[in-house]
Amino acid sequence: MKLKDLSLKQKVGQMLMFGFHGTSYNKQVDYLLNELELGGLILFKRNITSLKQVSKLNSKISQNKKIRPFIALDQEGGPVQRIEKGITPLLSAMGFAANGSDPYELYKGAGRDLKHLGFSINFAPVADVNNNPYNPVINSRSYSDNPEIVSRYVLKASQGFKDAKLIATVKHFPGHGDTNVDSHLGLPVVDKSLEEIEKVELYPFKKAIENDANGIMMSHIVYQCLDKDNPASLSYNIITKLLKEKLGFKGLVVTDSLTMKAIWGNYSIKEIVKKGVLAGNDILCFCGKADLNEQKEIYNTFVSLVEEGEIPLSRVDEAVGKILEYKEIYLEKDLAFENNLSVIKKEEKSKLAKKFALESITLVKDKGLVPIKKQEKIFAIFPEIKLFSLVDNKENDYFTLKDFLDCNEVVINQEFINYKLIKDEIKKADKVIFCTYNVTKGDYQTKVWQVLDPNKTIVVSMRSPYDILHLENVESYICLYEATLLSLKSLVKLIYSGKFKGNLPIKLEGGNMKIIRVKDYEEMSKKAAEIIADVVKKNPKANLGLATGSSPLGTYKNLIKKYEAKEISFKDIKSFNLDEYCQLDKNHEQSYYSYMNENLFKHIDIKKANTHLPSSEGDDLEANCKKYNDLLKKNPVDLQLLGIGGNGHIGFNEPGTAFTQETFVVKLAEKTREDNKRFFASIDEVPKYAITMGIKNIMDAKAILMVISGKGKQDAVNKLLSKKVSIDFPASILHKHPNVTVIIDDAAYGDNKW
Ligand code: F6R
């Protein structure tokens, strides 16, 4: 169908997308498609009962139409999935980012399954940067609080959907991450400068546009610096001026549902349609009540507005021309969707999704409660998950932990908490698992937390990782990012094995340091070796930053065991050590060169040429520093292993060293020489100088693993856990690094509180 062959009414129909009631091709659907010749329908959970049913429905919707309608849904993943069974599952956005592996195959798989079911538009991925920990609606629907990470995943998801020939709609422009109001319920206002939003909110959208995004969904949020008077979805300044003209977006512009309270309660239908079209939207989406009379009114109002010249036909033509172009590319002629059910069954990637889910769950901190042992008595407290935001599926089947874990359990809700039962059960239990779901300040979950004992309770946040901010003194904390069957099953596996692999993709107040508390040096060394081995397995060509001293010795022993058991190989690994003493011959038994050979290198298959330490040989130490620094810049370290000095030094960066310091010659602090004299015959023999990577080099590592053991380190642990960042305590800078794991044994932990 060509634009010139369409009547005004047909054009108006193309620019509208409505929701409807029922699960079959009923009178409402027929009216929308045949009388109004609607351009698109959107399906919700209420319209879907099975794959067979939805496939049949979509097939009917698409048959015999002059212009086939778009069929859309919100299949973001995790908490927002309209189809939960039978097709490739998608994790929540944050779950994917916590996993860290490339999610493209899953997005493509899900896209292809949806396509087989007859869908043509997916309102995903979410490009919002969740930089407000109190965001009630986005949180784990966003990939991260870091625009770079969000962009990376948005591109992968968009590409996956696109390659499955599904239109991806990046949402919610210009960004719904920094709001503490849900636009389903009210109108959020963002009061940030243009400069700020360019760096953060707009960044993932810009990247998506540069990579030929197909669609962008407009949010109902007022951005004061862009348009004080109109929400983004009705703003000419934001859609036409910013999105299209400045950022150069050429794809489909779709509104978020205009029946959401942020809009519906504040404007008349006439205002919504007029403003929406003039602002530059191509498709106006109305979901909500889906009342047919209201739908007719919207349609008729739109037609009249054009007939009366309040909306120029040229604007309508521009939008419809684009819609027809997309339909040409994305709506295939083959309508035999039913036959595709067997293809979906054969190709759906639930196994891969399971692996992703298992590796996304994050142990943020632990006081030694994880893993739980088979014989331990567990008491679980599970929130009755009520609809938190209207975007969640009303009819979701939520399971509780007891479905998968042998435990006593109580389900709590805001109306009823049986405190007596909880207190009795706690007494009987060895450990308590407290599952939370989007905790808000002072809510019923915070009240339950007050009667629990942090020393024996593992808190599991099932959606927002920020729940911990509302609960004081949590000692053991796990983030699931979604309360789905997939993630609960994975949780139970991990809680017994302890093999958590996910990393928090956001910063929690006070930094992201993941603390793992262990019994003793043995357990610390085992755990550290497991973490390093995982990096080596995931990336056999990884660059490892290594340390010396007593702390990592056990870790090296365990790595050697893993190598001997053929679990890992160092054949293509490169190593970069933190430091080396000056005034000591390279072959002296206390040089770090000798230490590394003796304690690790000679036992494994690492190539000598791939092992690097700073050199203190020759007269020109400055040149040696520069050489090592250049080498580090060329070879970014994937995982840096660290010990900590009694005075908080890392590498040999003594207190007072600038955080910007790169590789340099350092005069060792007297405390350090004193601490290390145990390796020498007397204090006089301990070198006074060393060459060390600077703090900046250490912070440049992609991930950092610190091991701390023994009573002598209690004071250091105390200072580290106080979270105060100061050059007087160099290790404190690690609070500013996005990916740090610190393993602390009981002796070093003492009575410290995190
Ligand atoms: C070692 C290093 C130092 C040590 C620290 C703790 O390469 O750079 O920072 O990690 O002095 O030493 P130990 O582990 O012996 O207590």
Side-chain angles (χ1 to χ4, degrees):
M1 207 37 122
K2 297 263 177 326
L3 181 67
K4 65 176 176 36
D5 302 325
L6 299 189
S7 68
L8 170 62
K9 284 188 165 185
Q10 284 174 318
K11 288 177 184 173
V12 164
Q14 286 307 306
M15 289 183 71
L16 291 171
M17 178 176 281
F18 289 158
F20 59 94
H21 294 282
T23 55
S24 60
Y25 192 92
N26 54 27
K27 276 195 185 137
Q28 183 183 18
V29 179
D30 190 62
Y31 190 92
L32 295 178
L33 293 175
N34 289 328
E35 296 302 317
L36 305 189
E37 295 191 60
L38 218 64
L41 290 179
I42 172 163
L43 271 66
F44 288 88
K45 200 93 200 272
R46 64 173 182 240
N47 307 114
I48 301 169
T49 57
S50 72
L51 294 194
K52 203 162 171 214
Q53 165 270 335
V54 76
S55 164
K56 195 167 156 202
L57 172 59
N58 286 351
S59 166
K60 279 290 291 245
I61 289 173
S62 304
Q63 270 164 26
N64 309 323
K65 304 295 173 312
K66 275 182 232 132
I67 307 172
R68 277 182 57 197
F70 283 134
I71 307 179
L73 85 172
D74 295 280
Q75 190 79 355
E76 293 172 13
V80 183
Q81 293 188 87
R82 306 306 183 209
I83 304 181
E84 290 205 312
K85 284 186 209 116
I87 66 168
T88 301
L90 291 173
L91 303 195
S92 65
M94 242 176 223
F96 272 123
N99 176 297
S101 302
D102 184 346
Y104 169 81
E105 281 304 323
L106 282 177
Y107 280 112
K108 188 175 165 197
R112 195 210 44 223
D113 295 346
L114 292 171
K115 188 76 190 177
H116 281 319
L117 290 173
F119 291 97
S120 37
I121 298 190
N122 189 9
F123 291 138
V126 173
D128 303 325
V129 179
N130 199 90
N131 42 3
N132 185 334
Y134 303 103
N135 193 319
V137 62
I138 300 298
N139 55 62
S140 74
R141 293 171 62 200
S142 153
Y143 292 100
S144 171
D145 58 4
N146 176 330
E148 275 294 344
I149 299 179
V150 173
S151 311
R152 207 182 313 143
Y153 283 88
V154 164
L155 295 191
K156 290 286 180 188
S158 304
Q159 196 59 47
F161 292 142
K162 206 180 201 182
D163 289 348
K165 280 237 171 176
L166 189 71
I167 298 175
T169 312
V170 183
K171 65 193 190 185
H172 311 79
F173 192 85
H176 202 326
D178 197 6
T179 62
N180 53 13
V181 175
D182 181 347
S183 52
H184 293 83
L185 306 173
L187 182 61
V189 176
V190 173
D191 186 15
K192 284 176 136 178
S193 69
L194 184 59
E195 210 185 346
E196 279 173 290
I197 67 165
E198 293 224 325
K199 272 199 220 127
V200 181
E201 277 76 4
L202 293 182
Y203 187 82
F205 289 101
K206 279 193 213 158
K207 291 280 163 199
I209 293 167
E210 279 163 29
N211 283 274
D212 291 330
N214 278 330
I216 285 186
M217 179 184 275
M218 300 305 304
S219 69
H220 307 315
I221 299 175
V222 172
Y223 267 75
Q224 301 266 29
C225 66
L226 299 172
D227 186 341
K228 275 201 280 312
D229 303 320
N230 299 293
S233 51
L234 304 182
S235 165
Y236 181 80
N237 278 354
I238 297 181
I239 303 180
T240 301
K241 288 274 175 211
L242 173 64
L243 178 62
K244 295 185 180 177
E245 291 175 9
K246 192 166 166 200
L247 302 181
F249 179 60
K250 304 229 166 351
L252 289 172
V253 184
V254 187
T255 67
D256 203 345
S257 174
L258 292 159
T259 53
M260 282 156 65
K261 280 228 174 72
I263 301 295
W264 198 249
N266 292 330
Y267 299 89
S268 67
I269 289 180
K270 191 170 168 187
E271 281 169 330
I272 296 173
V273 173
K274 186 173 168 187
K275 275 175 164 290
V277 177
L278 292 182
N281 289 294
D282 299 314
I283 297 177
L284 306 186
C285 192
F286 295 85
C287 310
K289 275 194 292 174
D291 174 75
L292 185 59
N293 287 328
E294 231 160 56
Q295 293 174 331
K296 286 182 198 169
E297 193 186 334
I298 294 165
Y299 174 87
N300 290 330
T301 306
F302 194 164
V303 174
S304 309
L305 280 167
V306 188
E307 281 172 349
E308 287 155 16
E310 293 202 45
I311 294 177
L313 189 61
S314 56
R315 175 69 262 279
V316 173
D317 283 348
E318 182 216 335
V320 178
K322 213 190 296 172
I323 290 167
L324 294 181
E325 266 173 45
Y326 273 86
K327 289 196 167 176
E328 187 69 33
I329 305 169
Y330 284 92
L331 296 186
E332 282 150 24
K333 305 279 173 297
D334 174 21
L335 299 181
F337 299 129
E338 290 99 321
N339 300 338
N340 288 331
L341 290 180
S342 56
V343 180
I344 294 177
K345 204 164 169 213
K346 220 169 61 217
E347 294 183 354
E348 59 115 341
K349 294 188 169 348
S350 56
K351 240 195 183 156
L352 183 61
K354 269 188 204 150
K355 183 168 156 31
F356 264 79
L358 199 66
E359 293 177 0
S360 71
I361 296 176
T362 310
L363 179 66
V364 178
K365 61 198 289 202
D366 179 35
K367 195 189 168 19
L369 299 180
V370 180
I372 56 176
K373 298 176 194 77
K374 283 273 177 244
Q375 68 276 14
E376 282 177 327
K377 269 201 212 125
I378 305 299
F379 171 50
I381 303 169
F382 203 89
E384 188 182 284
I385 300 165
K386 286 242 173 103
L387 199 62
F388 194 84
S389 154
L390 297 180
V391 82
D392 288 356
N393 299 316
K394 269 195 189 136
E395 293 85 354
N396 257 356
D397 299 324
Y398 282 115
F399 297 83
T400 67
L401 206 53
K402 199 170 167 33
D403 293 314
F404 316 104
L405 184 77
D406 181 18
C407 63
N408 283 353
E409 184 184 71
V410 60
V411 175
I412 55 167
N413 65 37
Q414 59 200 39
E415 274 94 46
F416 181 72
I417 303 166
N418 190 338
Y419 286 106
K420 174 153 182 350
L421 179 78
I422 291 177
K423 284 183 187 159
D424 288 348
E425 289 289 342
I426 294 173
K427 273 190 217 135
K428 285 190 265 165
D430 295 312
K431 284 173 187 168
V432 177
I433 299 178
F434 179 36
C435 296
T436 60
Y437 194 85
N438 279 354
V439 180
T440 53
K441 197 169 169 212
D443 77 359
Y444 71 105
Q445 300 172 94
T446 61
K447 298 206 171 85
V448 170
W449 175 244
Q450 277 161 18
V451 303
L452 303 182
D453 174 3
N455 289 314
K456 67 181 215 184
T457 307
I458 303 164
V459 177
V460 178
S461 70
M462 296 191 296
R463 181 163 163 184
S464 168
Y466 300 103
D467 284 359
I468 193 171
L469 302 182
H470 299 283
L471 309 171
E472 256 175 50
N473 296 330
V474 173
E475 297 278 1
S476 296
Y477 187 52
I478 296 171
C479 291
L480 276 197
Y481 312 104
E482 59 186 81
T484 55
L485 187 67
L486 193 60
S487 63
L488 285 175
K489 277 186 176 168
S490 309
L491 170 72
V492 170
K493 272 196 196 148
L494 291 172
I495 220 158
Y496 281 116
S497 72
K499 294 190 172 150
F500 288 84
K501 297 207 170 143
N503 286 306
L504 262 189
I506 50 129
K507 282 203 186 72
L508 285 173
E509 254 166 39
N512 253 359
M513 199 172 273
K514 183 197 285 187
I515 306 289
I516 303 181
R517 172 125 181 232
V518 291
K519 207 164 70 246
D520 52 20
Y521 185 83
E522 292 304 301
E523 209 187 317
M524 173 190 85
S525 306
K526 235 171 123 188
K527 202 124 233 150
E530 271 166 23
I531 293 172
I532 298 172
D534 271 344
V535 171
V536 172
K537 279 184 215 162
K538 251 191 183 165
N539 176 11
K541 291 189 175 170
N543 293 332
L544 296 181
L546 299 178
T548 51
S550 312
S551 307
L553 272 178
T555 306
Y556 295 147
K557 285 206 175 94
N558 279 284
L559 283 175
I560 294 167
K561 274 195 216 152
K562 284 179 186 293
Y563 162 72
E564 285 168 351
K566 298 204 166 34
E567 202 186 305
I568 44 171
S569 160
F570 293 85
K571 171 166 83 51
D572 296 316
I573 295 289
K574 286 190 199 153
S575 74
F576 300 87
N577 263 80
L578 284 167
D579 37 24
E580 178 60 286
Y581 285 122
C582 296
Q583 306 149 314
L584 211 59
D585 188 79
K586 188 174 165 182
N587 295 312
H588 185 286
E589 59 171 352
Q590 289 305 333
S591 78
Y592 288 161
Y593 176 82
S594 305
Y595 171 112
M596 289 311 299
N597 278 330
E598 278 311 304
N599 295 306
L600 184 65
F601 297 156
K602 78 174 191 192
H603 306 282
I604 57 174
D605 61 346
I606 196 162
K607 293 184 187 116
K608 196 108 214 264
N610 283 347
T611 65
H612 307 278
L613 284 101
S615 162
S616 59
E617 288 180 324
D619 297 331
D620 195 350
L621 295 187
E622 286 309 316
N624 293 4
C625 290
K626 184 172 181 315
K627 201 169 153 209
Y628 198 63
N629 211 52
D630 290 346
L631 186 73
L632 292 172
K633 291 218 162 115
K634 268 196 224 115
N635 297 277
V637 165
D638 293 292
L639 179 72
Q640 175 67 55
L641 178 62
L642 291 179
I644 186 171
N647 59 3
H649 73 215
I650 45 175
F652 275 138
N653 293 275
E654 303 287 21
T657 310
F659 291 147
T660 48
Q661 181 68 55
E662 302 196 338
T663 312
F664 73 121
V665 178
V666 60
K667 183 169 187 318
L668 297 176
E670 275 319 300
K671 160 96 175 121
T672 301
R673 294 185 66 233
E674 195 57 46
D675 284 349
N676 287 3
K677 82 168 183 223
R678 65 192 192 278
F679 299 113
F680 297 85
S682 74
I683 181 95
D684 297 334
E685 282 185 31
V686 185
K688 293 200 168 70
Y689 291 88
I691 293 192
T692 181
M693 276 190 201
I695 293 181
K696 170 145 193 330
N697 306 109
I698 295 174
M699 290 293 281
D700 282 344
K702 291 184 199 149
I704 291 176
L705 172 63
M706 179 176 257
V707 281
I708 316 182
S709 166
K711 202 158 174 270
K713 296 283 168 73
Q714 259 187 30
D715 188 41
V717 169
N718 201 3
K719 291 206 175 100
L720 183 67
L721 299 191
S722 79
K723 298 181 201 163
K724 190 171 158 243
V725 178
S726 150
I727 59 167
D728 297 334
F729 189 76
S732 63
I733 189 66
L734 299 181
H735 287 293
K736 302 264 182 203
H737 192 283
N739 189 353
V740 180
T741 304
V742 185
I743 313 181
I744 309 175
D745 74 359
D746 278 347
Y749 202 89
D751 296 324
N752 281 299
K753 277 253 177 284
W754 165 247

